[in-house]
Amino acid sequence: MVGLAYAIDGFARRAATSADGGRLGGFVYHDDHDAWLCPEDQWLWPQSFDPDNRIMRYRASPTVCNSCPVKDSCTSSSSGREVQRAVDSWPASEAARFHRGIACAAVVFGIVWPVAVAVTAPGAAGLVVLAGAVLLAAVLSVPLWSHLWRSRVHIPEGMRTQSLDQALAEREAAVVDEVRRRSRYASDHRTDRSESA
């Protein structure tokens, strides 16, 4: 059962890693800068931290993204490409904690089973074997249990915290502001002036 628990944990980690790689599409995280570098050699800098989902949001400059030749294949946002990074390492992330919980449940079953067999009084030699199996399962499962407690994450000083709802509302406001700003240009009103003349 401990082997099954480690298999569950390994498959979940591999699935999460391949899913993250597919979503990022060539973006590379640079830990020394705490920033992402896009395939077009532009930086995405940290914008906010979401304490509920424990992710850091990084955004590229809208000016750079909107003039990028590959923008259509990268993002549809007029406020720049956003990339998210989970601030917790794999064992402390929410998805990992869920899968670790399933793995630990398998370990508990692997420990309860020999204890239940021991109740049937298999004899002294059988009890020693069962006690050894329980002890071995408990010792081998310590790494699975140890990561269930969330680790503390350092949030850069001055970084604002922002939930997903707040980030979406801010993006909507930026789009409305962009539309309002565009309507102020004289070139947008030339057809109105020529019609009135």
Side-chain angles (χ1 to χ4, degrees):
M1 292 308 285
V2 174
L4 175 64
Y6 276 102
I8 290 169
D9 188 62
F11 287 134
R13 181 189 306 249
R14 188 174 306 137
T17 303
S18 63
D20 283 345
R23 278 195 314 256
L24 295 175
F27 285 72
V28 178
Y29 179 69
H30 292 267
D31 193 32
D32 54 338
H33 295 311
D34 186 26
W36 290 86
L37 187 63
C38 85
E40 295 297 309
D41 205 29
Q42 298 297 322
W43 290 98
L44 286 76
W45 299 101
Q47 294 298 308
S48 65
F49 171 69
D50 183 348
D52 297 332
N53 296 312
R54 300 186 58 73
I55 58 170
M56 188 73 78
R57 289 191 183 88
Y58 300 79
R59 184 168 293 281
S61 167
T63 308
V64 171
C65 278
N66 292 335
S67 63
C68 181
V70 296
K71 180 189 181 215
D72 293 339
S73 64
C74 182
T75 183
S76 60
S77 172
S78 62
S79 56
R81 170 71 188 257
E82 180 180 282
V83 174
Q84 299 176 355
R85 178 181 66 86
V87 295
D88 296 320
S89 62
W90 164 253
S93 70
E94 288 301 316
R97 289 167 59 82
F98 171 77
H99 288 96
R100 281 276 167 100
I102 293 172
C104 289
V107 169
V108 168
F109 182 70
I111 291 174
V112 168
W113 187 3
V115 170
V117 171
V119 172
T120 62
L127 286 175
V128 169
V129 169
L130 290 173
V134 167
L135 183 62
L136 181 64
V139 168
L140 289 175
S141 66
V142 167
L144 292 173
W145 294 100
S146 66
H147 291 294
L148 279 180
W149 296 277
R150 181 173 289 186
S151 61
R152 284 278 192 208
V153 174
H154 172 70
I155 299 169
E157 190 174 318
M159 180 59 60
R160 64 186 173 132
T161 58
Q162 188 178 44
S163 70
L164 178 59
D165 292 336
Q166 291 169 328
L168 291 174
E170 184 178 284
R171 239 179 276 157
E172 285 291 322
V175 168
V176 168
D177 187 45
E178 179 73 19
V179 168
R180 190 175 341 116
R181 211 173 36 237
R182 284 184 184 168
S183 65
R184 292 182 189 160
Y185 293 123
S187 62
D188 293 341
H189 301 289
R190 283 188 185 155
T191 56
D192 295 340
R193 288 181 189 165
S194 62
E195 290 173 5
S196 61

